[in-house]
Amino acid sequence: MRRLRAALLALPLLLAACSGGGVGIESVTGTPTDAGSVGPPTADAPATWIYQLSGYEDDGLGALIAAPHDAAVIDLARDGGEGYFTAEEITALKDSGKRVYAYFTMGSIETYRPEHDAVAATDMVLNQWGDWPDEYFVQYWDQRWWDLVMRPRLDQAMAAGFDGVYLDVPNAYEEIDLALVPGETRESLAQKMVDLIIAVDAYAGEHLAVLPQNSPELREYPGYLDAIDGIGIEELFFLNADEPCTEEWCAENLDDTRAIHDAGKLVLAVDYAADPGNVAAACAHYAEEGFAGAVAGVDLDAVYAPCP
């Protein structure tokens, strides 16, 4: 979820030219597939979506298959660990008429993930995320992060037949303790996050759509919009939970998300609310903006009704 707003995007062109120290696409991807994003949303783009990261009924996808939504974002694994969803399961979910996106983080590592021990054995692990005690930011620009985590997860998503990847924690660039990364700035970390998103697109090619979650301000950086097929965005209208989003960054996020949508990209928006009036208001906002919308509980552990 959105925590901070870094006012740092005034000179993205300059940053792209002189950021230095970032990992180039070739060195990150190894042997990428055909480059190029899957393309902008078409007339059949989803209007509703469901976002469930745990609590799968009987550890399966039957409840999601029966749900009427147009798209689904689920974890790579039913247990958050090595219990990966199979190609047969993902095919069944897609056959229910849904686009299916695989969730995983790109700027942090959770202690329960199967890659955690290998990452923890390196010097890539940085500060703990105060809001999430089992989660630590990482040096996501390091070649070892690509080799140990990003590339294997992309390979798993492709092998299972997901339509795309839903990449959480690009906002790591705002949250990393700068004292732990001497020489880095918010600006350089933002550029390196964009470099990673570009690398994901280059590796995934036509096989996976690329949707980062949050940090829509990164659209200002060269190459970002070309690399993504859409964006997931939390808390445009209601914070967790049922609190109207009236902070300055709420309006900034909405403006940036509108610009991404106007560029022809899919927007999967989710707000956390339970009050019927707030649910109806959020759904009305999605319809007005042309976003695919969802209103859910913040735990993302249950099937909920789609917007009408």
Side-chain angles (χ1 to χ4, degrees):
M1 293 179 195
R2 186 61 178 212
R3 298 294 188 254
L4 299 173
R5 171 72 180 181
L8 49 80
L9 295 168
L11 298 173
L13 290 171
L14 177 61
L15 292 172
C18 65
S19 59
V23 184
I25 291 177
E26 290 79 12
S27 62
V28 171
T29 58
T31 307
T33 58
D34 294 338
S37 60
V38 175
T42 61
D44 64 345
T48 63
W49 67 294
I50 189 157
Y51 193 7
Q52 187 175 6
L53 301 183
S54 63
Y56 303 108
E57 185 176 322
D58 298 323
D59 286 335
L61 299 175
L64 287 172
I65 289 171
H69 307 72
D70 303 317
V73 172
I74 62 173
D75 199 285
L76 266 177
R78 71 194 78 247
D79 58 358
E82 295 181 331
Y84 296 114
F85 288 113
T86 66
E88 292 76 13
E89 289 174 302
I90 300 305
T91 296
L93 186 53
K94 291 167 64 173
D95 286 347
S96 71
K98 298 175 180 65
R99 297 185 187 180
V100 186
Y101 302 96
Y103 171 97
F104 56 88
T105 62
M106 63 184 304
S108 62
I109 186 72
E110 304 105 318
T111 58
Y112 52 83
R113 294 293 182 181
E115 307 93 345
H116 173 262
D117 289 350
V119 173
T122 73
D123 57 359
M124 288 190 291
V125 179
L126 301 172
N127 50 298
Q128 181 262 331
W129 194 349
D131 295 305
W132 305 98
D134 294 326
E135 192 161 354
Y136 291 79
F137 299 110
V138 296
Q139 296 183 44
Y140 50 81
W141 55 94
D142 193 296
Q143 178 71 36
R144 294 169 296 174
W145 177 248
W146 180 265
D147 293 338
L148 290 172
V149 178
M150 293 299 295
R151 182 167 55 202
R153 289 179 178 179
L154 291 168
D155 288 343
Q156 178 64 36
M158 285 188 275
F162 282 91
D163 292 302
V165 288
Y166 188 92
L167 306 172
D168 200 5
V169 201
N171 60 318
Y173 83 90
E174 296 182 292
E175 304 279 1
I176 286 172
D177 182 350
L178 292 178
L180 299 177
V181 285
E184 299 292 350
T185 64
R186 295 295 174 210
E187 291 88 349
S188 69
L189 293 178
Q191 181 62 58
K192 289 175 177 178
M193 181 56 73
V194 171
D195 291 343
L196 180 56
I197 292 168
I198 292 171
V200 168
D201 174 57
Y203 188 76
E206 297 181 356
H207 300 287
L208 295 170
V210 177
L211 283 77
Q213 175 171 272
N214 298 328
S215 301
E217 69 279 358
L218 294 177
R219 71 181 180 87
E220 298 286 353
Y221 283 77
Y224 175 84
L225 282 176
D226 288 337
I228 69 168
D229 299 279
I231 189 170
I233 187 75
E234 296 176 297
E235 301 178 319
L236 284 177
F237 306 109
F238 292 95
L239 304 176
N240 174 33
D242 286 297
E243 177 186 348
C245 194
T246 58
E247 302 289 340
E248 182 178 352
W249 58 259
C250 300
E252 293 171 347
N253 270 1
L254 182 55
D255 286 344
D256 285 324
T257 302
R258 284 169 172 161
I260 292 171
H261 180 262
D262 290 345
K265 309 298 182 178
L266 174 65
V267 174
L268 299 182
V270 59
D271 284 274
Y272 302 112
D275 178 89
N278 292 339
V279 172
C283 289
H285 286 306
Y286 304 144
E288 180 180 359
E289 299 288 348
F291 301 160
V295 186
V298 70
D299 291 332
L300 299 174
D301 61 355
V303 175
Y304 52 82
C307 286

